[in-house]
Amino acid sequence: MAKEKTYQTDIRRARKQQKRKKKLRRLISVTAIACILLAVVLTSEAWLPKLRDTIKGITGKDDSGSEVSSDTEFTIPIGKTNYSEIYAFGDKLALVTDTNVIVYDKAGKALKSIQHKLANPIGAAGSDMLLLYDKGGYSLMAINAEGEVYDKMFTEQIILAKLGSADYAAVVTQTDKYAAYLTVYDKKGKDAFLWSNTQRVTDLTLNAAGDGCLISCIKATAGELSSSVIALSFSQIEPVFSIDNIPAMLYDTVYSHDDSFWALSDTRLIHLKNNGEVISQYDFDTSLIASAMDPYSAVVAEKGVVSGSFDITIASSQNTDIKKHTIEGECIQLSCANDMIYLLTDNKMYIFSREGDITGEYKLAGDYSSFVVIDGNLYAKDYDNIYKLALNNEE
């Protein structure tokens, strides 16, 4: 066998060294990429919400040049939960999940986190307090920015509960003896008033002073349903007034001006005086899909005659005029706040004056499921986050 020359051995050794260097460089590159990916995953909770918010901050414009975007400096992650909803009380924002209530200030700073054990939490907001209860359950709790104020456990099922602007809580339960048993608590959770009725209660609303309420009851006579509205003062036993035989099933009432109130059924909106006199009445053309009322205005959304649209009707407490608008899209939420009316659809946010005129129309950049209004600012949530919306008009 011929002897190898020295230069051939050197070439093979050099090739082997080159191959080893290539493998080493490849290993270093793969390791570096793996480290970067690991760092991305470990830090995702810090940067992912900001990235999502930046994406949502890309605005859309309609023909008028109006736009809505999220404030990229404000994002509250909702986290993993089977349920979430937001509420506003005073200038505080509350996020309710299936396990906790987290209270934020309007700048998005977390103030308090309170754990709850409610299976199906329903919220009612007051001036400085949020009431949470299990509808059809037995538990109730009241919280504020400092934490839990009080909690209650009932032996009878809770039918409904409301919180007034003075933070008095009214809770209706059903007993073996009474179809409706009302207990009113003061802001510290102490009993303030008791009342019972043999008729089924469908709605309750507290007055602005927090010292009385309106109760809607229903009964059937000769196969016909009718409603009664009873006004109670927490300082006396006898009702302030009572209106019987209203030919509708009322399920929402709100105090209005000059000794009057709004009453809503599934077929009509009624503005009534305290003596039962009808000030105005609007019968729905189609089926009701959403509503909102305050002392100044009442607004209802009905299923549209044209596919892909719905109708908005706004009534003022100052006169008997109504304003109607046909809106394209899907109605997500109606709200009355700050003497204005807010409408959220699947692609726009509309703002109406309390007289019923459109004052703002904004195209949305995100897919929001609900919103609240705090000091004139809108806070909306989707599945993942809560955003503060910036409404911009470009003339």
Side-chain angles (χ1 to χ4, degrees), residues 204-337:
L204 180 149
T205 184
L206 286 93
N207 62 17
D211 58 1
C213 67
L214 288 177
I215 294 181
S216 300
C217 303
I218 189 172
K219 65 179 180 179
T221 305
E224 296 291 331
L225 291 176
S226 64
S227 294
S228 301
V229 175
I230 303 169
L232 300 175
S233 169
F234 302 152
S235 61
Q236 65 184 56
I237 298 175
E238 295 298 321
V240 178
F241 68 84
S242 180
I243 303 172
D244 296 317
N245 301 317
I246 301 173
M249 178 179 172
L250 303 181
Y251 62 87
D252 196 7
T253 51
V254 170
Y255 283 96
S256 186
H257 287 300
D258 300 327
D259 297 325
S260 67
F261 62 95
W262 299 106
L264 182 71
S265 77
D266 58 347
T267 59
R268 61 177 60 96
L269 170 68
I270 313 171
H271 190 197
L272 288 162
K273 289 185 177 181
N274 291 353
N275 60 7
E277 179 185 344
V278 176
I279 300 172
S280 64
Q281 177 175 307
Y282 170 69
D283 294 327
F284 306 148
D285 296 322
T286 59
S287 57
L288 180 69
I289 56 178
S291 64
M293 298 184 290
D294 69 4
Y296 305 103
S297 308
V299 53
V300 295
E302 301 174 66
K303 184 178 179 181
V305 177
V306 179
S307 178
S309 68
F310 59 95
D311 295 325
I312 290 288
T313 301
I314 300 173
S316 171
S317 62
Q318 306 300 310
N319 52 58
T320 58
D321 296 336
I322 62 172
K323 296 282 183 69
K324 300 195 72 170
H325 304 273
T326 297
I327 307 295
E328 293 184 357
E330 178 186 357
C331 178
I332 305 297
Q333 183 183 337
L334 275 171
S335 180
C336 292

Side-chain angles (χ1 to χ4, degrees), residues 1 7 23 47-48 84 133 141 144-145 164 167 182 194 199 214 216 219 237 287 374 383 385 387:
M1 184 174 179
Y7 76 88
K23 290 180 179 179
W47 60 263
L48 187 56
S84 65
Y133 70 99
M141 66 186 297
N144 61 18
D167 292 328
L182 170 68
L194 299 174
Q199 298 182 46
L214 288 177
S216 300
K219 65 179 180 179
I237 298 175
S287 57
I374 301 175
Y383 184 79
N385 298 292
Y387 305 92

Side-chain angles (χ1 to χ4, degrees), residues 101-123:
V101 186
I102 307 169
V103 181
Y104 300 88
D105 64 17
K106 59 185 179 182
K109 178 184 177 182
L111 303 175
K112 199 72 177 179
S113 180
I114 306 106
Q115 191 172 12
H116 71 78
K117 297 181 180 179
L118 304 177
N120 181 29
I122 298 175

Side-chain angles (χ1 to χ4, degrees), residues 24-270:
L24 182 60
R25 284 196 297 267
R26 188 179 298 112
L27 179 61
I28 292 172
S29 299
V30 172
T31 303
I33 293 172
C35 291
I36 292 172
L37 291 176
L38 180 61
V40 168
V41 172
L42 293 177
T43 61
S44 61
E45 291 187 1
W47 60 263
L48 187 56
K50 292 183 179 180
L51 175 61
R52 287 174 176 163
D53 193 50
T54 300
I55 293 172
K56 285 188 175 294
I58 300 173
T59 62
K61 295 186 179 181
D62 58 19
D63 294 337
S64 65
S66 299
E67 61 183 33
V68 59
S69 64
S70 56
D71 182 349
T72 55
E73 299 300 320
F74 184 103
T75 305
I76 299 176
I78 293 174
K80 294 183 179 179
T81 180
N82 296 320
Y83 167 85
S84 65
E85 191 52 85
I86 54 175
Y87 298 91
F89 60 96
D91 61 352
K92 304 297 187 293
L93 174 69
L95 167 63
V96 180
T97 70
D98 51 5
T99 57
N100 290 80
V101 186
I102 307 169
V103 181
Y104 300 88
D105 64 17
K106 59 185 179 182
K109 178 184 177 182
L111 303 175
K112 199 72 177 179
S113 180
I114 306 106
Q115 191 172 12
H116 71 78
K117 297 181 180 179
L118 304 177
N120 181 29
I122 298 175
S127 60
D128 294 303
M129 195 179 295
L130 177 67
L131 189 72
L132 292 172
Y133 70 99
D134 258 336
K135 186 174 183 180
Y138 303 88
S139 301
L140 174 148
M141 66 186 297
I143 65 168
N144 61 18
E146 283 73 45
E148 183 178 310
V149 181
Y150 62 84
D151 67 334
K152 303 288 181 182
M153 180 66 71
F154 299 86
T155 56
E156 301 88 11
Q157 288 185 322
I158 300 172
I159 298 173
L160 59 87
K162 294 290 184 70
L163 196 64
S165 58
D167 292 328
Y168 271 57
V171 185
V172 178
T173 57
Q174 185 174 354
T175 69
D176 294 335
K177 187 176 181 180
Y178 298 105
Y181 192 86
L182 170 68
T183 306
V184 178
Y185 302 97
D186 65 17
K187 61 180 62 180
K188 294 183 179 180
K190 296 181 180 180
D191 293 3
F193 183 77
L194 299 174
W195 179 84
S196 59
N197 199 327
T198 56
Q199 298 182 46
R200 179 185 173 188
V201 170
T202 57
D203 183 60
L204 180 149
T205 184
L206 286 93
N207 62 17
D211 58 1
C213 67
L214 288 177
I215 294 181
S216 300
C217 303
I218 189 172
K219 65 179 180 179
T221 305
E224 296 291 331
L225 291 176
S226 64
S227 294
S228 301
V229 175
I230 303 169
L232 300 175
S233 169
F234 302 152
S235 61
Q236 65 184 56
I237 298 175
E238 295 298 321
V240 178
F241 68 84
S242 180
I243 303 172
D244 296 317
N245 301 317
I246 301 173
M249 178 179 172
L250 303 181
Y251 62 87
D252 196 7
T253 51
V254 170
Y255 283 96
S256 186
H257 287 300
D258 300 327
D259 297 325
S260 67
F261 62 95
W262 299 106
L264 182 71
S265 77
D266 58 347
T267 59
R268 61 177 60 96
L269 170 68
I270 313 171

